[in-house]
Amino acid sequence: MAKKQYAVIGMGRFGSSVAYALSEMGFDVLAIDRDEHRIQDISNVVTHAVSADSTDEEALRALGIRNFDVVVVAIGEDIQASILTTLILKDMGIHSLIVKAKSELHGKVLSKIGADKVVYPERDMGMRVAHHLASPNILDYIELSEEYSILEMKASSNIIGQNLLQLNIRARYGCNVIAIRKGTEMNISPDASDEIQPEDVLIIVGHKDDLTKLELAYSR
Ligand code: ATP
């Protein structure tokens, strides 16, 4: 199977991180930015780096953007450019278009005009940091949808020594422990008899409201 080809438009902090990570994973990446300096900075990391204005349809066509499997639009400040770029790319028939939004309203517009996925990196990172600050044993919080999330929680003193059957998290909170991390080892099918040890990290999936209740109960 041919390797997927990615194009990333906008080499701000988010766009350049996406381009960098994809390149590290061995994918072909075309990086586009209207700022020549940003292109120079990324040029030795990605396969191709081109200075162009993504609101210029002809320029995008000339770059053969239609041949890319996935296009990421990472323009935040200039909302007009972000919307126009999304519209042009959707019109060109890009099937997988991922667009960064600065606000809920920006995101709503992007979805309406056909963005296949809208991402909110600032909001998501803010939420993750807030959960960690509210209860320091919450190591990570990942939003799966409007209703469901995944929580990474360090074992608190009130659960250490109990097994999953005794904890009965599913019946009590309606959440599921999907994995337990012990140091560098990950147990991805924890058993009811598995006893929670100090320093264990529980990975739990559930409804956001249920996870909040669980967080409060186990934050000691
Ligand atoms: P960050 O990810 O750093 O938070 P941001 O959301 O603040 O970024 P901007 O700084 O507005 O986003 O834009 C990111 C990049 O997108 C900048 O390097 C900018 O030059 C580029 N950019 C903005 N508009 C266009 C455009 N029409 N065509 C190409 N690149 C553009």
Side-chain angles (χ1 to χ4, degrees), residues 10-14 33-35 38 52-55 74-78 81 100 102 122:
M11 290 296 112
R13 283 159 296 188
F14 178 71
D33 200 296
R34 64 180 169 195
D35 181 340
R38 296 251 160 128
D53 184 339
S54 60
T55 61
I75 303 171
E77 289 304 326
D78 189 345
K100 167 186 148 141
K102 262 275 196 262
E122 288 96 350

Side-chain angles (χ1 to χ4, degrees), residues 192-209:
S193 62
D194 280 347
E195 199 175 275
I196 309 297
Q197 309 290 327
E199 304 302 318
D200 278 3
V201 173
L202 279 68
I203 295 145
I204 306 163
V205 64
H207 193 282
K208 286 178 181 174
D209 297 344

Side-chain angles (χ1 to χ4, degrees), residues 91-164:
D91 247 21
M92 280 180 163
I94 302 291
H95 290 301
S96 187
L97 185 59
I98 292 119
V99 191
K100 167 186 148 141
K102 262 275 196 262
S103 65
E104 292 286 334
L105 196 59
H106 182 192
K108 265 192 191 164
V109 174
L110 295 171
S111 298
K112 280 242 184 303
I113 61 174
D116 299 290
K117 187 169 173 57
V118 178
V119 293
Y120 302 86
E122 288 96 350
R123 186 199 68 180
D124 290 353
M125 189 43 91
M127 194 152 55
R128 291 161 88 162
V129 171
H131 278 270
H132 179 60
L133 291 174
S135 24
N137 50 351
I138 303 304
L139 304 180
D140 208 350
Y141 183 94
I142 301 160
E143 197 174 57
L144 296 177
S145 69
E146 289 213 343
E147 291 178 53
Y148 295 94
S149 292
I150 288 183
L151 196 68
E152 223 184 273
M153 182 180 81
K154 200 169 141 212
S156 52
S157 57
N158 54 358
I159 66 168
I160 291 168
Q162 298 190 57
N163 63 30
L164 291 179

